[in-house]
Amino acid sequence: MTASVRLRLSVLMLLEYFTWGAWYVTMGTYLITALKADAVQVGAAYANLSIAAIISPFFVGLIADRFFAAQKVLGVLHLAGAATLYLISGVQDFSSFWWLILLYTLLYMPTMSLANSISFRQMQDAGREFPSVRVFGTVGWILAGLLIGFAGVETTAATFRIAAASSLLLGIYSFFLPSSQSVKKEVCLSDILGLDALVLLKGRAYGIFFITAVAVCIPLAFYYSFTNPFLNHAGMANAAGKMTLGQVSEFLFMLLMPFLFSRLGVKRMLLLGMFCWILRYVLFAYGDSGAGAWMLYGGIALHGMCYDFFFVTGQIYTDRKAGDNIRNAAQGLITFATYGLGMLIGSYVSGFVAGRFSYLQTAVLHYDWRSIWLVPAAITGIFLLLFIFLFRDDKQ
């Protein structure tokens, strides 16, 4: 891969994740403050991304892989996404917002796979070259958070307009990416759904991991849906900007992954990742005060261990179990289980729980944040104990 191609792919990743990060982190805060949405509605809005994650493999498999060059499909989707984001910024009621954000996520989610596919086709050694390109996605997410935070627009529709501008730029830029012609092959339904990878579930150890991955994503949804509204409630200035500390942590722990993986192994890495999720929720539960501000920063900084030690380790574990023949199908299956099924359930559960611990006071909706955060801590703790018990005989 030449330096010119590397630069073009790096810009692709930066814009891809800048666009997502510009609206996703603060959507809950915007819905609560600007559209006066309740917790259940916030959860329903975030659930749309999981619905799109479930549906998007059909689109990529049936359309992008068969008929059109990937970079052209990417460009069209981002241009349509830019128009949709701009429309979202103008709606004043939750019902219209929900349908438009569903439309946008259906347009956006396939672009993640397409961006990866375009990158892989330009690489001779993806295992060595892809991380140095993909890391610019994390940089893009950080830049989006810093811009939104320092501009002070977390509670306004400007976040969607910023994302729309980024999507428009990326849509145009996509047509100038390296050519990635369609394969024009017959695609079986089993390929699209990753059904070939179901053979992995016959193994006891992987079956336990798979079920645990789905289960852990249920309490995980609390973090994505309600962290930004919570931090703003706690009085943290520039909450969106400071939340990028989590992505910095993710980047640093990603560099440590090869060393830790060889020392600790799969089981200990997964257990440590789950424990960090519990610790994060507990820190949030008891950090809602001036004296406990360090707990809030600690909970944010744990993102690297929470994400890398569970999700990245899980992807590596899946790759090891799958082998060459079903590698792509296996990664599709675990993505469906986590970001699709698990997060979909979790988005609705988190909305229900937050609604259960909300109350009206002087016509203003308030939340009992301590109780809200202790619920996912307890759920994750139960799954952690079950994981230890069921996985006790596995030596990996």
Side-chain angles (χ1 to χ4, degrees), residues 35-75:
L35 298 189
K36 307 303 179 184
D38 58 33
V40 174
Q41 290 174 322
V42 172
Y46 275 100
N48 285 335
L49 195 79
S50 299
I51 294 173
I54 294 172
I55 296 174
S56 63
F58 289 91
F59 178 87
V60 175
L62 289 174
I63 305 297
D65 283 349
R66 297 182 65 186
F67 300 114
F68 304 102
Q71 76 274 10
K72 294 180 181 178
V73 178
L74 182 70

Side-chain angles (χ1 to χ4, degrees), residues 124-135:
Q124 300 298 320
D125 183 354
R128 180 177 58 85
E129 296 174 302
F130 184 70
S132 63
V133 170
R134 172 58 181 82
V135 73

Side-chain angles (χ1 to χ4, degrees), residues 6 38 42 115 144 157-158 183 198 202 253-254 262 274 335 343 349:
R6 181 187 299 276
D38 58 33
V42 172
V183 178
L198 291 178
K202 294 181 179 179
F253 278 104
M254 188 74 74
S262 62
M274 295 172 70
T335 300
M343 288 288 287
V349 170

Side-chain angles (χ1 to χ4, degrees), residues 222 230 281 284-286 288 353-354 356-358 367-378:
F222 282 77
F230 163 68
Y281 293 135
F284 280 172
Y286 292 96
D288 188 10
V353 170
R356 174 66 178 80
F357 290 106
S358 64
Y367 295 90
D368 179 2
W369 289 109
R370 178 169 297 181
S371 298
I372 291 171
W373 289 121
L374 288 177
V375 170

Side-chain angles (χ1 to χ4, degrees), residues 168-190:
L168 175 62
L169 177 61
L170 180 51
I172 297 171
Y173 178 77
S174 297
F175 290 98
F176 299 93
L177 287 168
S179 179
S180 181
Q181 294 298 322
S182 57
V183 178
K184 298 185 184 299
K185 64 178 181 179
E186 290 297 323
V187 180
C188 300
L189 183 62
S190 61

Side-chain angles (χ1 to χ4, degrees), residues 70-98:
Q71 76 274 10
K72 294 180 181 178
V73 178
L74 182 70
V76 170
L77 289 175
H78 274 299
L79 290 175
T84 306
L85 285 167
Y86 186 78
L87 290 175
I88 289 172
S89 70
V91 301
Q92 300 298 319
D93 62 287
F94 177 79
S95 178
S96 299
F97 180 94
W98 189 90

